[in-house]
Amino acid sequence: NAGVTQTPKFRILKIGQSMTLQCAQDMNHNYMYWYRQDPGMGLKLIYYSVGAGITDKGEVPNGYNVSRSTTEDFPLRLELAAPSQTSVYFCASSLGGHRRSTIYFGEGSWLTVV
Amino acid sequence: DQQVKQNSPSLSVQEGRISILNCDYTNSMFDYFLWYKKYPAEGPTFLISISSIKDKNEDGRFTVFLNKSAKHLSLHIVPSQPGDSAVYFCAASVLIGGADGLTFGKGTHLIIQP
């Protein structure tokens, strides 16, 4: 019963490096999301997707890119990592959006940029 | 500028008593509200939601009250149990152009004392 799976769980990056956070869901959900949570703060939406081939910006998209080539996968790309991107990243999915269905979150990916 | 505010970073309640978590919002366009619960090193899990056309929604031990005129909502947990110890996030949304993002508060850490 996997649900939403994120990899890696922990990563340390150097300033200027790039990396991809992987997210996969096995619930055949249409909607997928990426949120970040800074220490002592609430979650903020980075990007979301309402279906394969469709992505849209959230509240804090700068410094990130996403793609949605399949229903199952929604990778988040960090280009030229900066210390401000040190955060916990949560991927999530839902069948039909949060007003009609439950959003399920992954366990999070801890990223430190030094 | 925080649009969803949870002004109590922590709350301690005795087991068996009522826990009341509060949330205020500033954006009058918000029309859908949710509460999430989060344990350490896990993703948030959905608890309960309420639409702005209602002023109360109940699910077992959890009840959410919405006061639109005061832009205030609260989550009541009765009776409180040890497993309720977690961080609780209030979230809100407004449907604009089909966007599906949530705006989260900073969270309240609920501690249930035996």
Side-chain angles (χ1 to χ4, degrees):
Chain A
N1 196 16
V4 179
T5 303
Q6 294 181 230
T7 55
K9 201 166 181 73
F10 300 96
R11 181 75 188 265
I12 298 174
L13 270 185
K14 292 186 178 176
I15 294 171
Q17 285 186 322
S18 299
M19 74 160 296
T20 300
L21 295 174
Q22 302 290 345
C23 176
Q25 52 92 8
D26 61 358
M27 298 174 281
N28 203 29
H29 284 172
N30 296 311
Y31 286 62
M32 294 189 75
Y33 314 81
W34 275 106
Y35 283 89
R36 61 177 282 177
Q37 184 188 16
D38 298 335
M41 303 294 287
L43 283 74
K44 293 189 177 181
L45 183 65
I46 305 171
Y47 271 95
Y48 69 100
S49 167
V50 301
I54 306 168
T55 62
D56 213 340
K57 294 178 181 179
E59 184 183 353
V60 289
N62 291 345
Y64 306 94
N65 278 301
V66 293
S67 59
R68 185 95 183 268
S69 55
T70 67
T71 299
E72 296 78 18
D73 300 298
F74 191 41
L76 177 72
R77 178 85 178 159
L78 281 75
E79 304 281 2
L80 298 174
S84 61
Q85 293 178 303
T86 294
S87 192
V88 183
Y89 292 82
F90 291 99
C91 180
S93 73
S94 68
L95 184 60
H98 69 273
R99 291 168 184 248
R100 293 181 295 280
S101 51
T102 300
I103 296 180
Y104 295 90
F105 283 84
E107 293 186 338
S109 295
W110 274 253
L111 176 67
T112 302
V113 181
V114 295
Chain B
D1 181 32
Q2 273 223 292
Q3 298 188 66
V4 176
K5 299 177 185 179
Q6 294 178 256
N7 292 319
S8 299
S10 66
L11 175 67
S12 184
V13 174
Q14 216 166 6
E15 182 179 354
R17 306 288 274 255
I18 182 171
S19 295
I20 301 176
L21 296 100
N22 294 305
C23 177
D24 297 294
Y25 61 95
T26 58
N27 187 344
S28 57
M29 297 295 290
F30 285 142
D31 64 349
Y32 197 81
F33 304 89
L34 309 91
W35 284 93
Y36 284 84
K37 174 180 178 179
K38 185 182 180 304
Y39 292 120
E42 293 186 11
T45 55
F46 171 76
L47 261 182
I48 193 168
S49 63
I50 188 167
S51 163
S52 61
I53 62 173
K54 294 184 173 182
D55 54 18
K56 177 183 173 181
N57 190 25
E58 217 170 328
D59 184 2
R61 295 186 299 115
F62 303 93
T63 303
V64 56
F65 296 92
L66 175 61
N67 182 335
K68 288 187 291 294
S69 60
K71 295 194 181 70
H72 176 84
L73 63 155
S74 60
L75 173 68
H76 293 212
I77 306 173
V78 184
S80 300
Q81 298 175 353
D84 296 331
S85 293
V87 177
Y88 289 77
F89 290 99
C90 172
S93 73
V94 54
L95 192 62
I96 297 178
D100 202 67
L102 295 173
T103 300
F104 283 82
K106 291 184 179 182
T108 296
H109 186 194
L110 177 64
I111 302 160
I112 305 301
Q113 305 277 9

